[in-house]
PDB file of all heavy atoms in Angstrom:
ATOM      1  N   ALA E   6       2.214  12.491   2.033  1.00 40.00           N
ATOM      2  CA  ALA E   6       2.913  13.639   1.531  1.00 40.00           C
ATOM      3  C   ALA E   6       2.066  14.340   0.481  1.00 40.00           C
ATOM      4  O   ALA E   6       2.016  15.546   0.382  1.00 40.00           O
ATOM      5  CB  ALA E   6       4.276  13.254   0.941  1.00 40.00           C
ATOM      6  N   LEU E  11      -3.608  19.426   0.909  1.00 49.00           N
ATOM      7  CA  LEU E  11      -5.039  19.577   0.525  1.00 49.00           C
ATOM      8  C   LEU E  11      -5.778  20.316   1.612  1.00 49.00           C
ATOM      9  O   LEU E  11      -5.533  20.087   2.793  1.00 49.00           O
ATOM     10  CB  LEU E  11      -5.655  18.217   0.266  1.00 49.00           C
ATOM     11  CG  LEU E  11      -5.129  17.413  -0.936  1.00 49.00           C
ATOM     12  CD1 LEU E  11      -5.792  16.048  -1.020  1.00 49.00           C
ATOM     13  CD2 LEU E  11      -5.401  18.167  -2.223  1.00 49.00           C
ATOM     14  N   PRO E  12      -6.771  21.138   1.257  1.00 52.00           N
ATOM     15  CA  PRO E  12      -7.559  21.826   2.247  1.00 52.00           C
ATOM     16  C   PRO E  12      -8.452  20.825   2.984  1.00 52.00           C
ATOM     17  O   PRO E  12      -8.855  19.798   2.483  1.00 52.00           O
ATOM     18  CB  PRO E  12      -8.419  22.842   1.448  1.00 52.00           C
ATOM     19  CG  PRO E  12      -8.494  22.206   0.104  1.00 52.00           C
ATOM     20  CD  PRO E  12      -7.219  21.433  -0.113  1.00 52.00           C
ATOM     21  N   PRO E  14     -11.836  19.341   4.267  1.00 72.00           N
ATOM     22  CA  PRO E  14     -13.083  19.349   3.528  1.00 72.00           C
ATOM     23  C   PRO E  14     -14.170  20.261   4.154  1.00 72.00           C
ATOM     24  O   PRO E  14     -15.132  20.631   3.455  1.00 72.00           O
ATOM     25  CB  PRO E  14     -13.523  17.880   3.538  1.00 72.00           C
ATOM     26  CG  PRO E  14     -12.803  17.272   4.675  1.00 72.00           C
ATOM     27  CD  PRO E  14     -11.546  18.079   4.840  1.00 72.00           C
ATOM     28  N   VAL E  23     -14.482  34.256  11.563  1.00 97.00           N
ATOM     29  CA  VAL E  23     -14.542  35.291  10.536  1.00 97.00           C
ATOM     30  C   VAL E  23     -15.979  35.489  10.140  1.00 97.00           C
ATOM     31  O   VAL E  23     -16.507  36.666  10.081  1.00 97.00           O
ATOM     32  CB  VAL E  23     -13.648  34.971   9.331  1.00 97.00           C
ATOM     33  CG1 VAL E  23     -13.902  35.985   8.195  1.00 97.00           C
ATOM     34  CG2 VAL E  23     -12.181  35.000   9.685  1.00 97.00           C
ATOM     35  N   SER E  25     -18.676  34.816  11.864  1.00 95.00           N
ATOM     36  CA  SER E  25     -19.446  35.415  12.995  1.00 95.00           C
ATOM     37  C   SER E  25     -19.123  36.890  13.123  1.00 95.00           C
ATOM     38  O   SER E  25     -20.023  37.733  13.339  1.00 95.00           O
ATOM     39  CB  SER E  25     -19.090  34.641  14.232  1.00 95.00           C
ATOM     40  OG  SER E  25     -19.531  33.307  14.120  1.00 95.00           O
ATOM     41  N   VAL E  55     -11.122  34.268 -11.814  1.00 82.00           N
ATOM     42  CA  VAL E  55     -10.948  34.086 -13.256  1.00 82.00           C
ATOM     43  C   VAL E  55     -10.027  35.233 -13.805  1.00 82.00           C
ATOM     44  O   VAL E  55      -9.991  36.327 -13.283  1.00 82.00           O
ATOM     45  CB  VAL E  55     -12.270  34.142 -13.981  1.00 82.00           C
ATOM     46  CG1 VAL E  55     -13.125  32.926 -13.610  1.00 82.00           C
ATOM     47  CG2 VAL E  55     -13.058  35.432 -13.769  1.00 82.00           C
ATOM     48  N   SER E  67     -12.675  38.501 -10.550  1.00 85.00           N
ATOM     49  CA  SER E  67     -11.793  38.756 -11.681  1.00 85.00           C
ATOM     50  C   SER E  67     -10.383  39.184 -11.289  1.00 85.00           C
ATOM     51  O   SER E  67     -10.229  40.095 -10.476  1.00 85.00           O
ATOM     52  CB  SER E  67     -12.432  39.788 -12.652  1.00 85.00           C
ATOM     53  OG  SER E  67     -13.655  39.356 -13.141  1.00 85.00           O
ATOM     54  N   ARG E  68      -9.417  38.490 -11.848  1.00 86.00           N
ATOM     55  CA  ARG E  68      -8.029  38.907 -11.659  1.00 86.00           C
ATOM     56  C   ARG E  68      -7.592  39.685 -12.903  1.00 86.00           C
ATOM     57  O   ARG E  68      -7.781  39.246 -14.008  1.00 86.00           O
ATOM     58  CB  ARG E  68      -7.130  37.659 -11.559  1.00 86.00           C
ATOM     59  CG  ARG E  68      -5.717  37.963 -11.177  1.00 86.00           C
ATOM     60  CD  ARG E  68      -4.763  36.766 -11.227  1.00 86.00           C
ATOM     61  NE  ARG E  68      -5.420  35.490 -11.069  1.00 86.00           N
ATOM     62  CZ  ARG E  68      -5.245  34.689 -10.011  1.00 86.00           C
ATOM     63  NH1 ARG E  68      -4.439  35.097  -9.064  1.00 86.00           N
ATOM     64  NH2 ARG E  68      -5.874  33.575  -9.923  1.00 86.00           N
ATOM     65  N   ASP E  91      -3.622  32.150  -2.312  1.00 95.00           N
ATOM     66  CA  ASP E  91      -3.484  30.712  -2.685  1.00 95.00           C
ATOM     67  C   ASP E  91      -4.379  29.850  -1.838  1.00 95.00           C
ATOM     68  O   ASP E  91      -5.000  28.948  -2.295  1.00 95.00           O
ATOM     69  CB  ASP E  91      -2.000  30.289  -2.453  1.00 95.00           C
ATOM     70  CG  ASP E  91      -1.107  30.852  -3.577  1.00 95.00           C
ATOM     71  OD1 ASP E  91      -1.591  31.338  -4.561  1.00 95.00           O
ATOM     72  OD2 ASP E  91       0.125  30.772  -3.396  1.00 95.00           O
ATOM     73  N   PHE E  93      -7.149  30.759  -0.314  1.00 95.00           N
ATOM     74  CA  PHE E  93      -8.565  31.061  -0.697  1.00 95.00           C
ATOM     75  C   PHE E  93      -8.883  30.245  -1.926  1.00 95.00           C
ATOM     76  O   PHE E  93      -9.933  29.558  -2.002  1.00 95.00           O
ATOM     77  CB  PHE E  93      -8.728  32.526  -0.974  1.00 95.00           C
ATOM     78  CG  PHE E  93     -10.118  32.917  -1.467  1.00 95.00           C
ATOM     79  CD1 PHE E  93     -11.088  33.196  -0.562  1.00 95.00           C
ATOM     80  CD2 PHE E  93     -10.370  32.946  -2.808  1.00 95.00           C
ATOM     81  CE1 PHE E  93     -12.375  33.576  -1.027  1.00 95.00           C
ATOM     82  CE2 PHE E  93     -11.683  33.316  -3.263  1.00 95.00           C
ATOM     83  CZ  PHE E  93     -12.642  33.596  -2.320  1.00 95.00           C
ATOM     84  N   LYS E  95      -7.421  27.508  -3.188  1.00 95.00           N
ATOM     85  CA  LYS E  95      -7.395  26.088  -2.968  1.00 95.00           C
ATOM     86  C   LYS E  95      -8.624  25.600  -2.248  1.00 95.00           C
ATOM     87  O   LYS E  95      -9.282  24.580  -2.660  1.00 95.00           O
ATOM     88  CB  LYS E  95      -6.146  25.714  -2.111  1.00 95.00           C
ATOM     89  CG  LYS E  95      -5.929  24.259  -1.963  1.00 95.00           C
ATOM     90  CD  LYS E  95      -4.842  23.960  -0.960  1.00 95.00           C
ATOM     91  CE  LYS E  95      -3.476  24.561  -1.359  1.00 95.00           C
ATOM     92  NZ  LYS E  95      -2.430  24.174  -0.392  1.00 95.00           N
ATOM     93  N   ASP E 104     -21.827  24.149   9.301  1.00 94.00           N
ATOM     94  CA  ASP E 104     -22.433  23.546  10.492  1.00 94.00           C
ATOM     95  C   ASP E 104     -22.913  24.733  11.403  1.00 94.00           C
ATOM     96  O   ASP E 104     -22.624  25.847  11.166  1.00 94.00           O
ATOM     97  CB  ASP E 104     -21.406  22.682  11.237  1.00 94.00           C
ATOM     98  CG  ASP E 104     -22.065  21.671  12.155  1.00 94.00           C
ATOM     99  OD1 ASP E 104     -23.359  21.704  12.319  1.00 94.00           O
ATOM    100  OD2 ASP E 104     -21.333  20.902  12.783  1.00 94.00           O
ATOM    101  N   PHE E 107     -21.682  29.068  14.071  1.00 95.00           N
ATOM    102  CA  PHE E 107     -21.610  30.556  14.076  1.00 95.00           C
ATOM    103  C   PHE E 107     -21.979  31.026  15.493  1.00 95.00           C
ATOM    104  O   PHE E 107     -22.878  30.556  16.097  1.00 95.00           O
ATOM    105  CB  PHE E 107     -22.688  31.098  13.136  1.00 95.00           C
ATOM    106  CG  PHE E 107     -22.471  30.778  11.678  1.00 95.00           C
ATOM    107  CD1 PHE E 107     -22.869  29.529  11.145  1.00 95.00           C
ATOM    108  CD2 PHE E 107     -21.806  31.641  10.765  1.00 95.00           C
ATOM    109  CE1 PHE E 107     -22.693  29.202   9.831  1.00 95.00           C
ATOM    110  CE2 PHE E 107     -21.657  31.338   9.427  1.00 95.00           C
ATOM    111  CZ  PHE E 107     -22.073  30.092   9.012  1.00 95.00           C
ATOM    112  N   GLU E 108     -21.163  31.979  15.923  1.00 93.00           N
ATOM    113  CA  GLU E 108     -21.396  32.558  17.291  1.00 93.00           C
ATOM    114  C   GLU E 108     -21.900  33.984  17.125  1.00 93.00           C
ATOM    115  O   GLU E 108     -21.175  34.934  17.168  1.00 93.00           O
ATOM    116  CB  GLU E 108     -20.113  32.500  18.126  1.00 93.00           C
ATOM    117  CG  GLU E 108     -19.730  31.072  18.415  1.00 93.00           C
ATOM    118  CD  GLU E 108     -18.568  30.947  19.400  1.00 93.00           C
ATOM    119  OE1 GLU E 108     -18.227  31.937  20.068  1.00 93.00           O
ATOM    120  OE2 GLU E 108     -17.983  29.830  19.489  1.00 93.00           O
ATOM    121  N   ASP E 118     -29.014  22.568   0.126  1.00 87.00           N
ATOM    122  CA  ASP E 118     -28.985  22.631  -1.378  1.00 87.00           C
ATOM    123  C   ASP E 118     -30.314  22.132  -1.904  1.00 87.00           C
ATOM    124  O   ASP E 118     -30.755  22.617  -2.940  1.00 87.00           O
ATOM    125  CB  ASP E 118     -27.846  21.767  -1.907  1.00 87.00           C
ATOM    126  CG  ASP E 118     -26.505  22.440  -1.656  1.00 87.00           C
ATOM    127  OD1 ASP E 118     -26.467  23.668  -1.341  1.00 87.00           O
ATOM    128  OD2 ASP E 118     -25.465  21.759  -1.773  1.00 87.00           O
ATOM    129  N   ARG E 125     -35.681  27.294  -6.464  1.00 83.00           N
ATOM    130  CA  ARG E 125     -35.325  27.673  -7.837  1.00 83.00           C
ATOM    131  C   ARG E 125     -36.293  27.062  -8.888  1.00 83.00           C
ATOM    132  O   ARG E 125     -36.593  27.634  -9.918  1.00 83.00           O
ATOM    133  CB  ARG E 125     -33.920  27.226  -8.197  1.00 83.00           C
ATOM    134  CG  ARG E 125     -32.903  28.163  -7.577  1.00 83.00           C
ATOM    135  CD  ARG E 125     -31.529  27.924  -8.064  1.00 83.00           C
ATOM    136  NE  ARG E 125     -30.541  28.862  -7.531  1.00 83.00           N
ATOM    137  CZ  ARG E 125     -29.290  28.669  -7.430  1.00 83.00           C
ATOM    138  NH1 ARG E 125     -28.786  27.514  -7.814  1.00 83.00           N
ATOM    139  NH2 ARG E 125     -28.529  29.563  -6.900  1.00 83.00           N
ATOM    140  N   SER E 127     -39.456  26.497  -8.368  1.00 82.00           N
ATOM    141  CA  SER E 127     -40.800  27.117  -8.210  1.00 82.00           C
ATOM    142  C   SER E 127     -40.876  28.286  -9.168  1.00 82.00           C
ATOM    143  O   SER E 127     -39.940  28.766  -9.640  1.00 82.00           O
ATOM    144  CB  SER E 127     -41.037  27.525  -6.793  1.00 82.00           C
ATOM    145  OG  SER E 127     -40.315  28.709  -6.486  1.00 82.00           O
ATOM    146  N   ARG E 137     -41.571  29.986   3.793  1.00 90.00           N
ATOM    147  CA  ARG E 137     -40.866  29.080   4.729  1.00 90.00           C
ATOM    148  C   ARG E 137     -40.116  29.807   5.800  1.00 90.00           C
ATOM    149  O   ARG E 137     -40.031  29.359   6.930  1.00 90.00           O
ATOM    150  CB  ARG E 137     -39.998  28.160   3.935  1.00 90.00           C
ATOM    151  CG  ARG E 137     -39.479  27.030   4.737  1.00 90.00           C
ATOM    152  CD  ARG E 137     -38.913  25.882   3.871  1.00 90.00           C
ATOM    153  NE  ARG E 137     -39.957  25.345   2.993  1.00 90.00           N
ATOM    154  CZ  ARG E 137     -39.676  24.463   1.984  1.00 90.00           C
ATOM    155  NH1 ARG E 137     -38.446  24.116   1.775  1.00 90.00           N
ATOM    156  NH2 ARG E 137     -40.639  24.050   1.242  1.00 90.00           N
ATOM    157  N   TYR E 138     -39.474  30.935   5.420  1.00 91.00           N
ATOM    158  CA  TYR E 138     -38.618  31.711   6.353  1.00 91.00           C
ATOM    159  C   TYR E 138     -39.228  33.066   6.575  1.00 91.00           C
ATOM    160  O   TYR E 138     -38.643  34.078   6.127  1.00 91.00           O
ATOM    161  CB  TYR E 138     -37.196  31.784   5.876  1.00 91.00           C
ATOM    162  CG  TYR E 138     -36.536  30.407   5.754  1.00 91.00           C
ATOM    163  CD1 TYR E 138     -36.333  29.776   4.502  1.00 91.00           C
ATOM    164  CD2 TYR E 138     -36.125  29.707   6.885  1.00 91.00           C
ATOM    165  CE1 TYR E 138     -35.736  28.551   4.407  1.00 91.00           C
ATOM    166  CE2 TYR E 138     -35.541  28.487   6.796  1.00 91.00           C
ATOM    167  CZ  TYR E 138     -35.327  27.881   5.531  1.00 91.00           C
ATOM    168  OH  TYR E 138     -34.722  26.677   5.470  1.00 91.00           O
ATOM    169  N   SER E 148     -18.121  32.011   1.034  1.00 96.00           N
ATOM    170  CA  SER E 148     -17.092  31.072   0.550  1.00 96.00           C
ATOM    171  C   SER E 148     -16.324  30.499   1.724  1.00 96.00           C
ATOM    172  O   SER E 148     -16.559  30.906   2.915  1.00 96.00           O
ATOM    173  CB  SER E 148     -16.081  31.833  -0.365  1.00 96.00           C
ATOM    174  OG  SER E 148     -15.315  32.728   0.436  1.00 96.00           O
ATOM    175  N   GLY E 151      -9.889  32.114   3.150  1.00 97.00           N
ATOM    176  CA  GLY E 151      -8.473  31.933   2.914  1.00 97.00           C
ATOM    177  C   GLY E 151      -7.663  32.721   3.960  1.00 97.00           C
ATOM    178  O   GLY E 151      -8.020  33.832   4.329  1.00 97.00           O
ATOM    179  N   THR E 157      -2.984  36.102  10.166  1.00 96.00           N
ATOM    180  CA  THR E 157      -3.298  37.525  10.496  1.00 96.00           C
ATOM    181  C   THR E 157      -4.023  38.247   9.357  1.00 96.00           C
ATOM    182  O   THR E 157      -4.401  39.390   9.564  1.00 96.00           O
ATOM    183  CB  THR E 157      -1.965  38.297  10.778  1.00 96.00           C
ATOM    184  OG1 THR E 157      -1.143  38.170   9.650  1.00 96.00           O
ATOM    185  CG2 THR E 157      -1.308  37.738  11.986  1.00 96.00           C
ATOM    186  N   ASN E 169     -35.666  39.463  -6.110  1.00 81.00           N
ATOM    187  CA  ASN E 169     -35.162  39.266  -7.452  1.00 81.00           C
ATOM    188  C   ASN E 169     -34.233  40.444  -7.888  1.00 81.00           C
ATOM    189  O   ASN E 169     -33.283  40.200  -8.693  1.00 81.00           O
ATOM    190  CB  ASN E 169     -36.316  39.139  -8.454  1.00 81.00           C
ATOM    191  CG  ASN E 169     -37.075  37.856  -8.226  1.00 81.00           C
ATOM    192  OD1 ASN E 169     -36.518  36.848  -7.820  1.00 81.00           O
ATOM    193  ND2 ASN E 169     -38.355  37.862  -8.487  1.00 81.00           N
ATOM    194  N   ALA E 171     -32.742  42.577  -5.469  1.00 87.00           N
ATOM    195  CA  ALA E 171     -32.154  43.062  -4.184  1.00 87.00           C
ATOM    196  C   ALA E 171     -31.125  42.088  -3.748  1.00 87.00           C
ATOM    197  O   ALA E 171     -31.418  41.074  -3.126  1.00 87.00           O
ATOM    198  CB  ALA E 171     -33.222  43.232  -3.155  1.00 87.00           C
ATOM    199  N   ILE E 187     -10.652  42.809  11.796  1.00 95.00           N
ATOM    200  CA  ILE E 187     -11.233  44.039  11.279  1.00 95.00           C
ATOM    201  C   ILE E 187     -11.282  43.957   9.804  1.00 95.00           C
ATOM    202  O   ILE E 187     -10.471  43.287   9.168  1.00 95.00           O
ATOM    203  CB  ILE E 187     -10.499  45.283  11.765  1.00 95.00           C
ATOM    204  CG1 ILE E 187      -9.023  45.242  11.230  1.00 95.00           C
ATOM    205  CG2 ILE E 187     -10.451  45.472  13.203  1.00 95.00           C
ATOM    206  CD1 ILE E 187      -8.314  46.625  11.341  1.00 95.00           C
ATOM    207  N   THR E 193     -17.069  45.295  -4.309  1.00 90.00           N
ATOM    208  CA  THR E 193     -18.391  44.703  -4.725  1.00 90.00           C
ATOM    209  C   THR E 193     -18.095  43.826  -5.973  1.00 90.00           C
ATOM    210  O   THR E 193     -17.462  44.304  -6.908  1.00 90.00           O
ATOM    211  CB  THR E 193     -19.370  45.801  -5.077  1.00 90.00           C
ATOM    212  OG1 THR E 193     -19.614  46.592  -3.949  1.00 90.00           O
ATOM    213  CG2 THR E 193     -20.705  45.196  -5.561  1.00 90.00           C
ATOM    214  N   TRP E 195     -20.729  41.768  -7.507  1.00 86.00           N
ATOM    215  CA  TRP E 195     -22.006  41.974  -8.304  1.00 86.00           C
ATOM    216  C   TRP E 195     -23.087  42.583  -7.460  1.00 86.00           C
ATOM    217  O   TRP E 195     -23.011  42.537  -6.219  1.00 86.00           O
ATOM    218  CB  TRP E 195     -22.473  40.626  -8.973  1.00 86.00           C
ATOM    219  CG  TRP E 195     -22.834  39.532  -8.061  1.00 86.00           C
ATOM    220  CD1 TRP E 195     -22.072  38.460  -7.667  1.00 86.00           C
ATOM    221  CD2 TRP E 195     -24.110  39.295  -7.384  1.00 86.00           C
ATOM    222  NE1 TRP E 195     -22.759  37.641  -6.788  1.00 86.00           N
ATOM    223  CE2 TRP E 195     -23.957  38.101  -6.664  1.00 86.00           C
ATOM    224  CE3 TRP E 195     -25.306  40.011  -7.397  1.00 86.00           C
ATOM    225  CZ2 TRP E 195     -25.039  37.611  -5.876  1.00 86.00           C
ATOM    226  CZ3 TRP E 195     -26.359  39.493  -6.598  1.00 86.00           C
ATOM    227  CH2 TRP E 195     -26.203  38.341  -5.897  1.00 86.00           C
TER     228      TRP E 195
END
Side-chain angles (χ1 to χ4, degrees):
L11 293 175
V23 171
S25 298
V55 296
S67 298
R68 185 188 335 249
D91 286 349
F93 178 89
K95 188 189 298 184
D104 199 358
F107 296 82
E108 294 188 14
D118 286 344
R125 283 189 178 156
S127 75
R137 193 163 298 170
Y138 297 107
S148 70
T157 57
N169 293 327
I187 60 167
T193 300
W195 60 264

